[in-house]
Amino acid sequence: MARPARPSDDTSSEAERFVELVRSTVPPIHPAGLPFIAGGLGIALAGRNRRWLRNTGLSAASFCALFFRHPPRVPPTRPGVVVAPADGRVTLIDQAVPPAELGLPDTPMTRISIFLSLFDAHVQRAPAAGEVVAVRHRPGQFQSADKDTASEANERNSLLIRTPDGVDVVAVQIAGLLARRIVCTARPGDKLALGETYGLIRFGSRLDTYLPDGAKVAVEIGQRAIGGETVLAELR
């Protein structure tokens, strides 16, 4: 005969379901944001007897937790697709020469720009699966990231990924008006899965993706993109 469920078993099961619900609802935090959250909590603790200071610290910690959220994503499984490297709005689709520091041929490629507001998740994800061939950082200005000139004038970090079929895809992290720190954990020789997290830009930014000749663009200007999930294009 089956043993009747004990009250403690039911309680444990309910607790497990609650924990799972929290995990699926509240996204984890990117490690780069932990110092900022800790700083806000430290201010709140130091000012626990001063309401305005305590509230300021808690508000700062809450904002940083929102900004540095790292939500799980499920990339598409069909081959030959390029996904959005970040959450945000598609602001530009044109032809442009990729960053010179990558050493690629001086031939225009299809460029898709995504602008990240302060309220978007700011982690960056690999737009294509493949090997990291080059990572190049270039200092620059801190114009508003939604300006057309930001791609060339602003500080940036360029990532060249070569797919198993030998196709080159470029993702460029571009600092913005408030952004002062580009984080990139990818190194030459690394193998990245489609949609895998490789970096982050603090406080406002832009991502440019350069596609090879023949790629079929699948998004439009003004469309909202979900990093790691939205298909930007299909490779030839």
Side-chain angles (χ1 to χ4, degrees):
M1 297 179 61
R3 180 175 62 88
R6 297 179 180 178
S8 58
D9 294 338
D10 294 338
T11 302
S12 176
S13 179
E14 289 292 336
E16 291 174 358
R17 284 197 289 267
F18 177 75
V19 170
E20 184 59 31
L21 176 62
V22 171
R23 286 178 177 174
S24 63
T25 305
V26 180
I29 304 298
H30 191 280
L34 296 180
F36 294 88
I37 298 172
L41 294 177
I43 293 174
L45 181 61
R48 58 185 179 277
N49 295 325
R50 298 181 180 181
R51 183 177 180 181
W52 68 270
L53 189 57
R54 182 180 69 251
N55 290 343
T56 298
L58 292 175
S59 297
S62 299
F63 171 77
C64 289
L66 176 67
F67 181 87
F68 288 103
R69 67 190 184 277
H70 187 190
R73 297 288 161 75
V74 181
T77 57
R78 69 182 187 273
V81 298
V82 176
V83 298
D87 293 9
R89 183 169 56 88
V90 177
T91 58
L92 180 69
I93 302 175
D94 66 355
Q95 294 287 315
V97 176
E101 56 267 25
L102 288 174
L104 293 173
D106 191 19
T107 304
M109 301 175 70
T110 298
R111 177 178 62 180
I112 301 178
S113 297
I114 296 176
F115 175 72
L116 293 75
S117 74
L118 280 174
F119 302 102
D120 288 311
H122 273 59
V123 293
Q124 278 82 61
R125 305 170 190 270
E131 180 179 352
V132 177
V133 177
V135 181
R136 298 286 186 271
H137 177 266
R138 197 207 69 172
Q141 301 176 26
F142 296 98
Q143 299 180 11
S144 176
D146 60 349
K147 289 187 176 181
D148 292 342
T149 55
S151 291
E152 182 59 33
N154 282 19
E155 178 174 342
R156 67 191 183 203
N157 187 76
S158 303
L159 185 75
L160 172 59
I161 300 174
R162 185 162 295 156
T163 72
D165 295 327
V167 178
D168 289 340
V169 176
V170 175
V172 184
Q173 299 167 287
I174 301 172
L177 184 64
L178 299 177
R180 290 294 187 270
R181 182 76 168 89
I182 295 176
V183 177
C184 178
T185 58
R187 298 291 181 266
D190 289 353
K191 300 292 181 62
L192 295 178
L194 183 67
E196 181 179 347
T197 300
Y198 76 89
L200 177 144
I201 309 178
R202 295 174 184 167
F203 307 117
S205 49
R206 170 175 168 175
L207 262 292
D208 284 354
T209 305
Y210 291 81
L211 307 169
D213 182 46
K216 182 180 179 181
V217 176
V219 292
E220 298 179 354
I221 293 177
Q223 180 177 336
R224 292 286 304 176
I226 304 299
E229 293 188 351
T230 300
V231 174
L232 290 186
E234 296 182 5
L235 300 177
R236 182 173 58 182

